[in-house]
Amino acid sequence: KHLLPLTPAFFKYFKSENISKYLMLTDLAGGGIEAKLNIPVRRGNITLRKAYHKEDIVQLGMHLAILPFLQASWFDLDYTLGILDTRFDKESELVVECYKSGETVRISSPVIRKQGDGRTFKSIYFKTKSFDAIRVGNNKYPGFVVPLMPDCQANQQVSFSIDFGTTNTHIEYKSGLNAEKAIDVTADHPMWQSLIDRTKGETKDLADDYNYERDIFPYEFNSNTDHKFPFRTALTYNPNINFNEKLDVFTHTNNFLLFEKIIPTNYLQLQTKLKWSNYSKREDKILVESYIECLMYFVFYKMLQLNGDPQRTQITWFYPVSMDAFEQGIFFDVWQKAYRNVFKSSNIGNINAV
């Protein structure tokens, strides 16, 4: 695994999805690599070569994840970038920059979910808009990652049903003429993707991916895996968050789908008492709202994977018969707010309660 030895100027003239046409990295004897860059010009090609010997290659000590791992040119997608800084020396911050067609894309301020005290890893998350290349590294040795994300269309009608219970949460979907089934994710169509390609049997650094499964959600969950819907109702959140400011799902909070499957992290707070009403503290209601918004993201990402049309996607959520009219009104507002935030639509007729 090597970061691509390119500069932002390259992406101003050449499309990122065609990177393999221009750049080739070849292993050399003794552990080095050769980078060969073919640049098309009016009268043919100019070929540039550079050899990096083993002693020239710097082990960076970092890992990267992208959520969602897909693109939709017709929608203003929000992305989450997760960085694991596993360097022993963390005095200098890692460089993280996003680009689209060679131009800088603004990213949010970093949110640190784990401080990385001593020689432990540091967990950092960012929010950004659509991009086609990421520049990462340290100030002296940055390089590029070019994610080849599948492109989604909006040509299918999809419907979802969500049952948020105080003990378990379940989501099912129906697409086209197919029967209803629990929402699922497979390795060949992941919702998030790291630098590890599991479809090619890359398992050397899989332990780093397990940190993302705690901080985001499992890489796979379907009828053939140990983890599948329904999941226990639980959420983890950063211990230092300010409840007077907006919380972002996947940077400040995440639905902890692996509750009672694995041991929770000691650097995040765990909340399992997520209920419909009678909140003892204002913070409890905010965490429930964040939990519901995360459920909405599961629905939204699955819809995109199925080439669903947001304007034709129907969502039904269930509430207990014991809920009175006042409580129903509160939760109607919560679900509609989550829908507007995630689907970026005011067409609340697409979300209904039963």
Side-chain angles (χ1 to χ4, degrees):
K1 295 288 186 179
H2 304 281
L3 297 176
L4 302 182
L6 297 169
T7 68
F10 174 86
F11 298 95
K12 289 184 178 181
Y13 302 99
F14 305 102
K15 292 184 177 180
S16 59
E17 62 263 32
N18 296 328
I19 187 72
S20 60
K21 294 182 180 179
Y22 307 115
L23 179 65
M24 180 178 294
L25 301 181
T26 306
D27 292 330
L28 298 176
I33 63 165
E34 181 189 61
K36 183 172 72 172
L37 182 63
N38 288 314
I39 301 176
V41 294
R42 189 169 297 175
R43 295 185 179 181
N45 290 297
I46 295 176
T47 301
L48 304 175
R49 300 174 184 267
K50 185 172 182 179
Y52 298 87
H53 301 291
K54 184 177 182 180
E55 57 270 21
D56 300 323
I57 298 175
V58 177
Q59 297 292 331
L60 185 56
M62 61 143 304
H63 199 35
L64 167 70
I66 300 169
L67 171 74
F69 194 71
L70 46 80
Q71 56 186 343
S73 58
W74 45 269
F75 194 90
D76 182 24
L77 276 179
D78 296 311
Y79 289 87
T80 301
L81 303 181
I83 302 291
L84 288 184
D85 185 351
T86 59
R87 299 172 301 164
F88 288 157
D89 183 3
K90 301 185 183 71
E91 287 189 10
S92 62
E93 295 295 333
L94 289 171
V95 172
V96 182
E97 299 169 346
C98 291
Y99 291 85
K100 190 174 183 67
S101 301
E103 300 295 333
T104 304
V105 177
R106 192 184 74 83
I107 65 174
S108 70
S109 299
V111 175
I112 300 173
R113 303 203 76 185
K114 184 179 182 298
Q115 293 294 333
D117 299 324
R119 291 193 167 187
T120 63
F121 71 88
K122 185 176 182 180
S123 179
I124 314 162
Y125 284 81
F126 300 86
K127 293 289 187 181
T128 187
K129 293 294 185 179
S130 177
F131 60 91
D132 55 27
I134 306 172
R135 191 169 183 248
V136 292
N138 54 34
N139 288 322
K140 191 175 181 180
Y141 302 109
F144 273 92
V145 173
V146 177
L148 301 179
M149 297 184 284
D151 192 22
C152 302
Q153 307 301 318
N155 53 28
Q156 298 293 323
Q157 196 279 325
V158 190
S159 59
F160 294 87
S161 301
I162 308 175
D163 186 2
F164 163 35
T166 55
T167 303
N168 294 313
T169 296
H170 188 55
I171 307 177
E172 290 194 352
Y173 69 95
K174 178 176 173 56
S175 175
L177 299 177
N178 299 309
E180 296 87 350
K181 62 186 298 189
I183 197 168
D184 51 0
V185 179
T186 58
D188 54 342
H189 292 95
M191 284 188 180
W192 62 265
Q193 181 62 54
S194 72
L195 299 177
I196 298 173
D197 188 347
R198 299 195 191 190
T199 63
K200 294 182 178 179
E202 296 178 358
T203 59
K204 180 181 177 182
D205 300 307
L206 205 54
D208 289 336
D209 263 15
Y210 295 153
N211 292 306
Y212 291 129
E213 297 201 335
R214 290 180 170 90
D215 286 3
I216 306 176
F217 52 80
Y219 185 76
E220 293 183 74
F221 49 88
N222 55 70
S223 59
N224 296 318
T225 61
D226 293 335
H227 311 314
K228 59 180 71 69
F229 273 101
F231 285 102
R232 286 297 310 273
T233 300
L235 174 139
T236 51
Y237 62 97
N238 303 351
N240 60 345
I241 58 176
N242 184 348
F243 284 96
N244 293 317
E245 298 179 355
K246 182 182 181 297
L247 302 188
D248 285 323
V249 176
F250 305 124
T251 55
H252 297 112
T253 69
N254 67 285
N255 291 8
F256 187 48
L257 302 188
L258 297 179
F259 179 62
E260 295 187 341
K261 303 284 188 181
I262 63 172
I263 299 174
T265 61
N266 58 8
Y267 55 87
L268 298 176
Q269 297 290 323
L270 175 67
Q271 174 64 283
T272 58
K273 297 179 180 179
L274 297 160
K275 52 185 181 179
W276 294 95
S277 60
N278 299 321
Y279 304 111
S280 59
K281 296 186 297 184
R282 172 175 169 271
E283 290 85 345
D284 293 338
K285 182 174 183 291
I286 293 173
L287 291 176
V288 169
E289 291 175 346
S290 184
Y291 183 83
I292 289 174
E293 185 169 331
C294 188
L295 295 180
M296 198 64 68
Y297 273 112
F298 289 142
V299 167
F300 182 69
Y301 294 154
K302 188 62 185 180
M303 177 209 70
L304 291 176
Q305 288 186 327
L306 295 168
N307 292 315
D309 181 353
Q311 299 303 318
R312 293 192 292 150
T313 295
Q314 297 292 316
I315 302 169
T316 302
W317 60 275
F318 297 91
Y319 62 87
V321 294
S322 60
M323 182 177 286
D324 60 35
F326 177 75
E327 293 172 332
Q328 289 178 30
I330 292 175
F331 261 75
F332 269 76
D333 289 342
V334 171
W335 282 96
Q336 289 173 1
K337 177 183 175 182
Y339 175 80
R340 286 191 294 265
N341 288 344
V342 176
F343 279 74
K344 300 181 180 179
S345 171
S346 58
N347 186 12
I348 56 176
N350 285 342
I351 179 167
N352 299 282
V354 175

